[in-house]
Amino acid sequence: MNVHDIIPIIDPNPIPGPFWLFKLLLMVTFLLHILAMNMMMGGAVIALAAKFKKQNEMYQKLYDNLKSKIPNLLPATITLGVAPLLFAQVLYGPYLYTATIISGWVWFSIIILLTVAYYGFYFVSFKKEEKFKKPILILSVALIMFIALIYTTNVLLYMQPQYWAEKYFEQPAGAHLFLDDATLLPRFLHFIIGALAIGGLFVAVIGYLKRKKEPEFAAFLIKHGGRWFMFATMAQFVVGSWFLIALPREQMMLFMGKNMVASILLVLSMGLTLLTIFMMSRKLKREVLQAPVASVSFITFIVLAMMIVMRDILRDSYLAPFFRVENLSFQPQWGVLALFLLLFVAGVLVWLWMLKKYPFQADAKNERGV
């Protein structure tokens, strides 16, 4: 069977804007989504680790602080994930939809798993009694990680149409979890460890914002979060190298000089990442409250943006034998696009206001029964 024969035809409806604009919007919105998601997932794991040190007053205070923030970050993650998913559907609809259909019930299960995890985080955050909080928090974290695994397998499947027929006929009812790819484990770990690094930086930022009102607790947060950030980032070099060499040769060589943009971005991101480790570790050994949290956060944001561009280059390379931009039709609707961009910017500003008012500054003052 010719693989091109099983790829659905492109939607005849024209795209309401230039391809490059939708590509840019896909990457920008995905950057915001991944930022919120990493803070949520990394923060949940750090809160869980702190829960196991309940005899320590500072760790208990950290746990109380984080558990009140996760229920705010999870809906931000979901909301900010809608736009990149829609842009991906517009640009790569036949591939994304087909992979989703093959995954079928596994993909549908995300709604159930996410709902259970969401209620679990709310239970931990708002329930006054401590009974059952630890196992429920463990369950919620595990469910979020499993959802991340489902998304990872779906991405791998939609980028490789050559496996569609085989996987479909293995599970015609639509219940396939694509676990065969050699890059699955390093790709998944690269995502999880990255979330731990951003989660640690999130904790350090909370400490940085508290440095004047609660200097002792702020110093603990900066030091503890800084260590999570540094050690997870160091681990990323190992996992990232594994991910790189696990790629098919054609894709691996993109980052070894074949694609100049991808190669330069890889070198720059590695250099900037090493710089953040050096900047953070240098201050944590001495003046904790003077740690360059703001500078490290800005550089890390730039590195995340670079990684998303590299991810896009990698996706295009996978789809190159099957996907042609010239096959898409375009009919710009500038008024609709302008309205979308206006509402999008307004939404982001509201989200940033919410982060400032609730997750970053609000302490766990909501210890009430539900």
Side-chain angles (χ1 to χ4, degrees), residues 40-41 44-45 48 113-114 116-117 121 134-150 188 192:
M40 178 271 297
M41 180 181 291
V45 173
L48 178 59
L113 299 175
L114 190 57
V116 174
F121 286 134
K134 188 183 293 184
I136 289 176
L137 184 55
I138 292 173
L139 175 63
S140 292
V141 170
L143 290 176
I144 291 296
M145 288 190 174
F146 186 62
I147 291 170
L149 178 64
I150 294 174
F188 176 68
I192 296 297

Side-chain angles (χ1 to χ4, degrees), residues 265-341:
L265 287 176
L266 177 63
V267 173
L268 281 176
S269 62
M270 291 176 65
L272 289 174
T273 301
L274 286 172
L275 176 62
T276 60
I277 295 173
F278 173 75
M279 291 170 63
M280 187 68 80
S281 63
R282 184 165 161 266
K283 283 292 184 179
L284 290 184
K285 292 178 181 177
R286 295 178 290 178
E287 305 172 72
V288 177
L289 287 176
Q290 301 302 318
V293 176
S295 301
V296 170
S297 299
F298 176 74
I299 296 173
T300 302
F301 182 81
I302 298 300
V303 171
L304 275 175
M306 290 179 177
M307 293 181 69
I308 285 171
V309 175
M310 287 188 281
R311 178 181 181 272
D312 189 74
I313 292 172
L314 182 62
R315 171 176 50 206
D316 284 351
S317 177
Y318 268 105
L319 289 173
F322 317 103
F323 177 78
R324 293 287 182 273
V325 176
E326 54 267 23
N327 292 337
L328 298 174
S329 57
F330 303 93
Q331 186 177 339
Q333 299 177 29
W334 298 114
V336 175
L337 280 174
L339 179 61
F340 165 78
L341 291 174

Side-chain angles (χ1 to χ4, degrees), residues 34 61 72 137 147 164 172 212 228 239-240 284 289 341 345:
I34 205 74
K61 196 172 179 180
N72 294 318
L137 184 55
I147 291 170
W164 289 355
K212 293 181 180 179
W228 272 94
V239 175
L284 290 184
L289 287 176
L341 291 174
V345 171

Side-chain angles (χ1 to χ4, degrees), residues 10-16 90 328-331:
I10 295 175
D11 189 338
N13 293 316
I15 296 177
V90 169
L328 298 174
S329 57
F330 303 93
Q331 186 177 339

Side-chain angles (χ1 to χ4, degrees), residues 78-91:
I78 297 168
T79 304
L80 290 170
V82 172
L85 182 60
L86 291 177
F87 288 129
Q89 289 173 351
V90 169
L91 299 178

Side-chain angles (χ1 to χ4, degrees), residues 74 78 109-119 143-144 147:
L74 185 52
I78 297 168
S109 72
I110 290 176
I111 299 174
I112 300 172
L113 299 175
L114 190 57
T115 302
V116 174
Y118 203 171
Y119 274 96
L143 290 176
I144 291 296
I147 291 170

Side-chain angles (χ1 to χ4, degrees), residues 20-317:
W20 65 265
L21 178 59
F22 276 77
K23 268 275 198 178
L24 178 62
L25 290 172
L26 170 60
M27 289 187 281
V28 170
T29 54
F30 185 72
L31 174 60
L32 296 175
H33 166 66
I34 205 74
L35 186 62
M37 179 169 52
N38 283 348
M39 288 192 294
M40 178 271 297
M41 180 181 291
V45 173
I46 294 172
L48 178 59
K51 180 67 174 172
F52 281 89
K53 297 186 178 182
K54 58 183 179 181
Q55 302 302 323
N56 186 297
E57 181 182 352
M58 286 296 185
Y59 281 101
Q60 182 61 41
K61 196 172 179 180
L62 168 62
Y63 163 75
D64 289 337
N65 199 282
L66 284 176
K67 74 177 183 181
S68 66
K69 297 170 173 48
I70 306 304
N72 294 318
L73 287 170
L74 185 52
T77 300
I78 297 168
T79 304
L80 290 170
V82 172
L85 182 60
L86 291 177
F87 288 129
Q89 289 173 351
V90 169
L91 299 178
Y92 307 106
Y95 307 91
L96 185 58
Y97 285 132
T98 305
T100 302
I101 291 170
I102 294 172
S103 300
W105 294 108
V106 177
W107 182 261
F108 283 140
S109 72
I110 290 176
I111 299 174
I112 300 172
L113 299 175
L114 190 57
T115 302
V116 174
Y118 203 171
Y119 274 96
F121 286 134
Y122 265 106
F123 179 90
V124 170
S125 180
F126 293 109
K127 189 70 174 176
K128 188 174 181 180
E129 295 80 11
E130 288 297 317
K131 189 177 181 181
F132 302 125
K133 281 193 174 183
K134 188 183 293 184
I136 289 176
L137 184 55
I138 292 173
L139 175 63
S140 292
V141 170
L143 290 176
I144 291 296
M145 288 190 174
F146 186 62
I147 291 170
L149 178 64
I150 294 174
Y151 270 95
T152 303
T153 61
N154 184 263
V155 168
L156 285 170
L157 188 56
Y158 95 68
M159 293 191 305
Q160 301 178 88
Q162 64 269 28
Y163 295 113
W164 289 355
E166 174 190 347
K167 299 308 173 186
Y168 171 77
F169 287 112
E170 281 182 9
Q171 294 282 351
H176 202 285
L177 193 61
F178 186 47
L179 301 174
D180 305 342
D181 196 280
T183 68
L184 173 61
L185 185 55
R187 179 188 282 264
F188 176 68
L189 290 177
H190 190 60
F191 169 82
I192 296 297
I193 294 172
L196 297 180
I198 299 300
L201 191 56
F202 175 53
V203 171
V205 169
I206 296 172
Y208 180 78
L209 295 176
K210 291 178 177 291
R211 66 192 184 282
K212 293 181 180 179
K213 293 183 178 180
E214 302 177 74
E216 185 180 356
F217 183 47
F220 169 78
L221 291 175
I222 293 173
K223 190 169 186 177
H224 187 68
R227 284 176 173 172
W228 272 94
F229 170 76
M230 288 191 301
F231 292 139
T233 304
M234 291 174 189
Q236 279 288 61
F237 279 95
V238 178
V239 175
S241 300
W242 177 17
F243 181 25
L244 181 62
I245 62 177
L247 289 171
R249 180 174 174 78
E250 179 71 18
Q251 280 68 45
M252 181 180 68
M253 294 308 296
L254 292 173
F255 304 94
M256 300 292 182
K258 185 176 181 180
N259 185 304
M260 193 56 62
V261 174
S263 302
I264 290 173
L265 287 176
L266 177 63
V267 173
L268 281 176
S269 62
M270 291 176 65
L272 289 174
T273 301
L274 286 172
L275 176 62
T276 60
I277 295 173
F278 173 75
M279 291 170 63
M280 187 68 80
S281 63
R282 184 165 161 266
K283 283 292 184 179
L284 290 184
K285 292 178 181 177
R286 295 178 290 178
E287 305 172 72
V288 177
L289 287 176
Q290 301 302 318
V293 176
S295 301
V296 170
S297 299
F298 176 74
I299 296 173
T300 302
F301 182 81
I302 298 300
V303 171
L304 275 175
M306 290 179 177
M307 293 181 69
I308 285 171
V309 175
M310 287 188 281
R311 178 181 181 272
D312 189 74
I313 292 172
L314 182 62
R315 171 176 50 206
D316 284 351
S317 177

Side-chain angles (χ1 to χ4, degrees), residues 318-370:
Y318 268 105
L319 289 173
F322 317 103
F323 177 78
R324 293 287 182 273
V325 176
E326 54 267 23
N327 292 337
L328 298 174
S329 57
F330 303 93
Q331 186 177 339
Q333 299 177 29
W334 298 114
V336 175
L337 280 174
L339 179 61
F340 165 78
L341 291 174
L342 179 63
L343 294 175
F344 174 73
V345 171
V348 171
L349 292 176
V350 171
W351 177 62
L352 292 175
W353 173 80
M354 289 176 62
L355 285 180
K356 181 180 179 181
K357 185 172 179 62
Y358 296 105
F360 283 110
Q361 294 180 353
D363 292 323
K365 297 177 180 177
N366 51 2
E367 288 293 319
R368 60 182 183 270
V370 292

